Amino acid sequence: MNIILLGPPGAGKGTQASRLQDERGMVQLSTGDMLRAAVKDGTPVGLKAKAIMEAGELVSDEIVSGIIGEALDKLSPETGVIFDGYPRTAAQAESLDAILAARGRKLDHVIELAVDEEALVERITGRFTCGNCGEGYHDTFKQPKQAGVCDACGSTEFKRRPDDNEETVRTRMTEYRAKTAPILPIYKSRHLLKKVDGMAAIDVVTSQIETILG
Ligand code: AMP
């Protein structure tokens, strides 16, 4: 099964994708995670992407479609994939069709996480992760049980994404509205689009998605 999670930044795509990965043995392909790794490693892609990501703008379609194709080539054909943060433009949606077809895959579902934009700013600007294991936290909604210590691994190192500040988040939302939201009707007309309430509790969203996937 190949599915896309679509929604604005902070809608919960990454959280839901990692749950599906753990529960269904699918693989999460997050272009944001792959680009952040490239920036950290200082690869040619990372060098091109760094300033664009820090500004909250979109990296070029060629770069992201290239890394998606490479990531798919590392998976066996039977492995199910969750696309998280890709496609983000009409050109990427078109490329994805070609990339999947060339590998004998097809798109099964496109799931839109529908959310209230103002709530997203609070969600995003408050989030942080464990620097060691990646466990996610939030200033208001999910503090570590013991202040300053990761519940999952005991590490005391935490980090925040450089693009999770209010100004950049507003740019990321504008990019979403202008370039990503217009691909929703494309998938709707292909009868692939399903909408879930991304404002519901995390477990409720997961079960809505599970119902869609069957
Ligand atoms: P994300 O982790 O999905 O919020 O992505 C973080 C940043 O990486 C975005 O604000 C973009 O700058 C870049 N990015 C991630 N995925 C894409 C994509 N599919 N197309 C263009 N830029 C992307």
Side-chain angles (χ1 to χ4, degrees), residues 9-10 13 30-33 35-36 49 52-54 56-61 64 84-89 92 127 161 163 172:
K13 301 184 297 292
S30 155
T31 39
D33 286 349
L35 289 168
R36 276 184 288 280
I52 300 171
M53 293 173 75
E54 278 170 8
E57 290 161 8
L58 293 187
V59 173
S60 80
D61 293 333
V64 290
D84 159 15
Y86 178 92
R88 257 174 156 102
T89 64
Q92 291 177 26
R127 69 187 182 182
R161 282 173 44 174
D163 59 346
R172 288 159 65 198

Side-chain angles (χ1 to χ4, degrees), residues 14 17 23 34 52 67 85 87 95 108 133 160 182 212:
E23 286 163 18
M34 292 187 261
I52 300 171
I67 60 178
S95 295
D108 297 285
C133 72
R160 285 175 195 265
I212 292 167

Side-chain angles (χ1 to χ4, degrees), residues 3-183:
I3 68 168
I4 297 173
L5 295 185
L6 254 175
K13 301 184 297 292
T15 303
Q16 297 300 332
S18 95
R19 286 185 162 207
L20 292 175
Q21 172 162 271
D22 295 345
E23 286 163 18
R24 301 178 81 106
M26 298 173 77
V27 168
Q28 169 186 12
L29 293 186
S30 155
T31 39
D33 286 349
M34 292 187 261
L35 289 168
R36 276 184 288 280
V39 169
K40 187 158 169 258
D41 294 344
T43 66
V45 163
L47 293 176
K48 277 194 201 145
K50 186 168 187 287
I52 300 171
M53 293 173 75
E54 278 170 8
E57 290 161 8
L58 293 187
V59 173
S60 80
D61 293 333
E62 293 71 29
I63 289 185
V64 290
S65 294
I67 60 178
I68 280 288
E70 284 169 22
L72 277 175
D73 286 338
K74 292 188 187 130
L75 301 177
S76 68
E78 317 75 60
T79 306
V81 173
I82 310 144
F83 295 98
D84 159 15
Y86 178 92
R88 257 174 156 102
T89 64
Q92 291 177 26
E94 214 172 283
S95 295
L96 180 60
D97 286 338
I99 288 168
L100 291 174
R103 290 160 181 82
R105 290 176 178 265
K106 72 167 184 51
L107 208 44
D108 297 285
H109 301 282
V110 178
I111 298 174
E112 178 191 359
L113 298 176
V115 278
D116 158 27
E117 270 201 28
E118 275 315 303
L120 294 183
V121 177
E122 187 188 12
R123 270 199 197 179
I124 297 180
T125 54
R127 69 187 182 182
F128 61 100
T129 53
C130 171
N132 178 50
C133 72
E135 181 73 8
Y137 295 97
H138 193 280
D139 293 329
T140 312
F141 308 123
K142 189 190 165 196
Q143 286 276 358
K145 291 194 181 74
Q146 188 186 337
V149 182
C150 175
D151 300 344
C153 76
S155 167
T156 53
E157 300 280 326
F158 293 91
K159 60 181 186 184
R160 285 175 195 265
R161 282 173 44 174
D163 59 346
D164 275 353
N165 61 77
E166 178 156 358
E167 190 193 345
T168 309
V169 168
R170 300 258 176 219
T171 307
R172 288 159 65 198
M173 305 266 186
T174 305
E175 289 284 69
Y176 178 80
R177 273 195 304 270
K179 296 174 184 163
T180 309
I183 67 183

